[in-house]
């Protein structure tokens, strides 16, 4: 469903993505990890056709993203790192932002559709609220509901759980897996949250120095991973331990 071949992106003289070959099969959930500034968001933006790679190829569901970005984007949902909501639009209008144009639904059906998308992320009944009235976690979930409104076959999530409490994180992890199990959605998930990554991923990719330093089973992370990867995992686990106190125990 997703394929990059020798995907390279430079900003000025700086190579941020260096010949990345990554394939994600139908219904697979692949997580992308790596240090801050390591090119994770850039990778998602190239796959979504929002920026053009310096060289290489990108395909989504067999469609060349560089040649035919509109067609490639049709069945692709992207959840942005900052929730990227329109602050002057209600939650409902944010969710319906794209759907209003292409769905062909009437006003009452659109209302129902928005409510259905919000229910998927556990936000039923919030359609009339404005983004300023939402918590960070709710904003993220509205961003996911908006992406789901495109009825995507492929979802790209940029740090969907960063900054969320453990319960909301767990709900979003469940949602990512649920969408795969029920609708066959293929997902590429950028995450710093090691426990999330291990909970949801079929495979893990690790970006280091612009290259794909690791791509494999979460279980192989310890044995085949690089020092930088193990360091990141250790740091994340230590931080989680310090932050969680007792509440992490039952998860
Ligand atoms: N439009 C742009 N113009 C110039 N440089 C950019 C642009 N977008 C990203 N970069 C640079 O590319 C590098 C990778 O950025 P990117 O946002 O992809 O990292 P990231 O892995 O998502 O980091 P984080 O974990 O902090 O979100 C950074 O050095 C960034 O400054
Ligand atoms: Mg990023």
């Amino acid at each position: 469903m997703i394929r990059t071949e020798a995907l390279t992106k430079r900003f000025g003289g700086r190579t941020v993505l260096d010949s990345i070959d990554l394939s994600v099969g139908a219904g697979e959930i692949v997580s992308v990890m790596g240090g801050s500034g390591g090119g994770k968001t850039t990778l998602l933006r190239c796959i979504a056709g929002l920026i053009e790679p310096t060289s290489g190829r990108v395909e989504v569901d067999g469609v060349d993203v560089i040649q035919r970005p509109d067609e490639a984007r049709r069945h692709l949902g992207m959840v942005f790192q900052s929730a990227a909501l329109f602050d002057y639009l209600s939650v409902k209008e944010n969710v319906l932002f794209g759907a209003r144009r292409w769905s062909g639904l009437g006003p009452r059906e659109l209302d129902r559709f928005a409510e259905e998308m919000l229910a998927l992320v556990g936000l039923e009944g919030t359609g009339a609220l404005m983004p300023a009235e939402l918590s960070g976690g709710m904003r993220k979930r509205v961003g996911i509901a908006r992406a789901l409104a495109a009825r995507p076959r492929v979802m790209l999530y940029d740090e969907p759980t960063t900054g969320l409490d453990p319960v909301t994180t767990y709900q979003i992890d469940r949602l990512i897996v649920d969408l795969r199990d029920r609708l066959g959605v293929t997902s590429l998930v950028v995450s710093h949250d090691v426990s999330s990554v291990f909970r949801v991923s079929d495979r893990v990719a690790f970006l280091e120095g612009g290259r794909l330093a690791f791509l494999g089973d979460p279980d192989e992370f310890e044995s085949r991973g690089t020092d930088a990867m193990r360091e990141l995992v250790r740091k994340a686990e230590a931080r989680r331990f310090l932050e969680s106190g007792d509440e992490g125990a039952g998860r």
Side-chain angles (χ1 to χ4, degrees):
M1 288 299 279
I2 302 171
R3 183 195 304 278
T4 74
E5 271 174 33
L7 171 60
T8 297
K9 181 65 184 176
R10 293 191 194 93
F11 288 113
R14 192 154 167 253
T15 304
V16 170
L17 297 175
D18 188 359
S19 201
I20 304 290
D21 293 313
L22 175 67
S23 291
V24 183
E28 200 179 11
I29 300 175
V30 174
S31 292
V32 180
M33 303 188 77
S36 186
K40 303 179 298 296
T41 296
T42 303
L43 175 64
L44 291 196
R45 290 169 66 83
C46 286
I47 292 169
L50 298 172
I51 54 173
E52 208 172 302
T54 307
S55 61
R57 288 171 50 83
V58 183
E59 272 182 19
V60 171
D61 198 8
V63 178
D64 188 316
V65 175
I66 300 159
Q67 306 291 327
R68 295 184 286 159
D70 290 343
E71 190 182 334
R73 263 201 297 265
R74 193 164 307 154
H75 297 290
L76 185 138
M78 176 138 177
V79 177
F80 294 90
Q81 186 165 1
S82 59
L85 302 182
F86 300 103
D87 284 327
Y88 56 92
L89 294 177
S90 68
V91 164
K92 182 180 105 179
E93 289 308 322
N94 266 286
V95 170
L96 293 178
F97 190 76
R100 204 172 265 295
R101 244 178 318 128
W102 52 254
S103 69
L105 298 175
R108 300 238 332 252
E109 293 161 314
L110 277 171
D111 279 356
R112 253 202 311 274
F113 181 63
E115 200 49 34
E116 196 186 309
M117 294 302 114
L118 286 168
L120 280 175
V121 297
L123 286 180
E124 45 277 270
T126 62
L129 296 177
M130 296 303 283
E133 299 175 88
L134 306 178
S135 72
M138 291 167 85
R139 293 174 68 92
K140 285 234 156 132
R141 285 186 280 162
V142 173
I144 295 174
R146 181 176 59 196
L148 291 175
R151 301 209 178 282
R153 287 205 285 264
V154 173
M155 282 284 280
L156 308 176
Y157 297 90
D158 199 351
E159 304 201 15
T161 61
T162 301
L164 302 186
D165 64 89
V167 173
T168 313
T169 295
Y170 182 77
Q171 284 169 349
I172 289 185
D173 289 346
R174 278 300 326 156
L175 178 65
I176 293 170
V177 174
D178 243 38
L179 289 169
R180 186 269 302 280
D181 293 348
R182 287 190 294 127
L183 307 172
V185 173
T186 304
S187 301
L188 194 58
V189 188
V190 170
S191 181
H192 287 296
D193 186 332
V194 176
S195 48
S196 269
V197 165
F198 279 73
R199 200 149 51 203
V200 307
S201 319
D202 299 310
R203 286 188 300 152
V204 183
F206 195 90
L207 284 176
E208 200 177 312
R211 303 199 65 108
L212 201 54
F214 174 89
L215 178 64
D217 219 78
D219 295 340
E220 299 170 313
F221 217 82
E222 271 295 323
S223 57
R224 282 211 297 120
T226 66
D227 289 343
M229 285 165 52
R230 279 189 287 270
E231 179 68 18
L232 191 90
V233 171
R234 263 196 302 276
K235 270 192 201 150
E237 278 171 350
R239 192 165 33 206
R240 189 161 63 90
F241 177 73
L242 290 173
E243 283 169 0
S244 65
D246 286 330
E247 68 186 342
R251 281 197 292 144

